[in-house]
Amino acid sequence: MKILFLSHLDMNLYLFRLPIMQALVQEGHEVIALVPKGAYFDYFKEYKIKAISYHIQRASLNPLTEIKTIREIALKFKEIQPDIIHTFTIKPNIYGSLAAKIANISCVINSVTGLGSFYIEYSLKTFFLRLLIEVLNKIAFKIAKNVVFQNNDDLELYVNKKLLPSQKAILIKGSGVDIDYFSLQQVSQECQQEYKRQLGIPQDNIVVLMVARAIVHKGVKEYYAMAQNIKHKIHNVSFLYVGDTDKGNITAITHEFLQNKNVQWLGSRKDVREIIAIADIFVLPSYREGIPRTLLEAASMSKAIVTTNTIGCKEVVVHDYNGFLVPTQDINKLQEYTEKLIKNPSLCTEMGENGRKKVINEFSTKIIVAKHLELYNNIKALSI
């Protein structure tokens, strides 16, 4: 089969869908990444994946620009003639489905990887944008053979809103995590000590870490506020933040805010595994998620977690088992449970071990890849 993956970011496919694409290549299928050319574009060829570029403006709402993008995608589809098209996130789902209809390609799968800022913000502007997105999604989902959701809350919301029939909706929990790569055993004590030294962190300090895009809805401001409060009380704690601003998002946080004496901002990093390894506690105060990859990586690295009792996050963390769940935007509770872990290293260890077990049993890449391969085989068999 010839299977095409469509996204609005090459990073999205490379970081989150590569194991699925690799598994398809190993089975003898031809795999194509149709993505705008970015920093990860040339990496695909190392895995025998053909990368083809197209143009899209993530933040654009100009109808003429969007029609031009759909037309370009449709022309690429006609040229490539894939057997299956798998699209990811809002714009690619909509544009990919419409383009497939134009190109007369019937096997389309949409993936809803989270509902994003439009389902968190409740201004008049986001109300109308949310309404528009739902109308366009309903059209896209009518074209698609199946729609994959990462959590049951998003699936039920869209089915209850009658945006798609329940028989089209499929639940696959996230993009998975490589439990062999994201293992504490892969980062030696010597390496951890060297990382702390390079970052200027005292070897006996407790390290608290957050990894996320720098947008309001990830809870970055709550994390920074909590860090300030705790640093005033406990001095042997270092707070790290990994992530960069997302200028295409309506709630992007500025570099000026991130440069703060209470939190060491490390920007965007490719050595996330090593940074997680030196952490004792992982924090993600997000307002809403699909299935947060960073939580899966932290749990796989045997880290105790403090996150929010919200859609997506509560799929990964069981309260008082592998971490703590707190209400969204509640700095006091976030601080309370983070302090509890800071003061109880043995509890961090116990919860970290529990988190590792949960990831192995539910979220490993092998499990998620197998579910995707089954989906592709089923959809192709039904189309014959």
Side-chain angles (χ1 to χ4, degrees), residues 222 285-288 308-310 326-331:
E222 287 83 352
S286 183
Y287 298 2
R288 186 187 185 115
T308 41
N309 188 19
T310 190
V326 303
T328 56
Q329 303 182 64
D330 190 331
I331 296 169

Side-chain angles (χ1 to χ4, degrees), residues 148-323:
V148 179
F149 291 85
Q150 292 198 341
N151 63 68
N152 204 54
D153 293 274
D154 289 347
L155 186 156
E156 289 184 353
L157 175 65
Y158 269 33
V159 169
N160 290 338
K161 281 177 169 283
K162 301 190 184 304
L163 299 182
L164 78 160
S166 59
Q167 60 267 28
K168 276 194 176 185
I170 293 176
L171 179 65
I172 300 179
K173 291 187 175 183
S175 53
V177 63
D178 186 338
I179 58 174
D180 296 321
Y181 181 82
F182 284 98
S183 168
L184 201 53
Q185 306 305 314
Q186 297 295 330
V187 187
S188 67
Q189 286 294 324
E190 291 77 14
C191 179
Q192 293 177 45
Q193 290 168 5
E194 177 61 17
Y195 261 77
K196 281 190 172 183
R197 188 191 67 76
Q198 289 180 6
L199 294 171
I201 300 170
Q203 295 295 332
D204 58 349
N205 263 26
I206 299 291
V207 178
V208 182
L209 172 65
M210 177 178 175
V211 180
R213 285 181 297 145
I215 59 175
V216 169
H217 297 153
K218 293 293 183 181
V220 178
K221 291 186 175 181
E222 287 83 352
Y223 180 70
Y224 270 62
M226 176 193 71
Q228 178 176 323
N229 294 343
I230 292 177
K231 290 276 278 189
H232 285 162
K233 298 165 59 180
I234 308 171
H235 300 296
N236 65 329
V237 183
S238 297
F239 288 88
L240 305 179
Y241 173 66
V242 172
D244 208 346
T245 55
D246 183 356
K247 294 178 181 178
N249 191 282
I250 59 176
T251 66
I253 291 176
T254 65
H255 283 183
E256 289 73 24
F257 176 88
L258 297 173
Q259 292 165 341
N260 182 290
K261 65 179 181 180
N262 298 304
V263 178
Q264 190 172 349
W265 174 41
L266 303 181
S268 180
R269 302 280 297 220
K270 291 187 177 180
D271 54 349
V272 171
R273 179 183 65 175
E274 287 71 22
I275 301 296
I276 295 174
I278 67 172
D280 299 282
I281 302 158
F282 191 92
V283 177
L284 181 66
S286 183
Y287 298 2
R288 186 187 185 115
E289 293 282 346
I291 292 287
R293 177 68 173 270
T294 55
L295 286 189
L296 294 179
E297 291 171 352
S300 188
M301 294 285 289
S302 305
K303 301 302 173 180
I305 295 168
V306 182
T307 189
T308 41
N309 188 19
T310 190
I311 294 168
C313 297
K314 63 184 180 181
E315 300 279 350
V316 182
V317 174
V318 176
H319 186 74
D320 213 18
Y321 173 70
N322 63 320

Side-chain angles (χ1 to χ4, degrees), residues 12 22 39 54 64 106 177 212 229 241-242 288 331 343 371:
N12 182 294
Q22 284 180 279
Y54 77 98
L64 294 177
S106 60
V177 63
N229 294 343
Y241 173 66
V242 172
R288 186 187 185 115
I331 296 169
K343 295 172 182 177
K371 290 182 178 180

Side-chain angles (χ1 to χ4, degrees), residues 184 280-281 298-299 301-305 318-324 340-341 344-358:
L184 201 53
D280 299 282
I281 302 158
M301 294 285 289
S302 305
K303 301 302 173 180
I305 295 168
V318 176
H319 186 74
D320 213 18
Y321 173 70
N322 63 320
F324 295 115
K340 185 173 182 178
L341 288 172
N344 196 338
S346 63
L347 182 60
C348 287
T349 301
E350 179 186 342
M351 286 187 162
E353 290 172 353
N354 292 339
R356 172 82 176 163
K357 291 175 188 174
K358 184 173 176 63

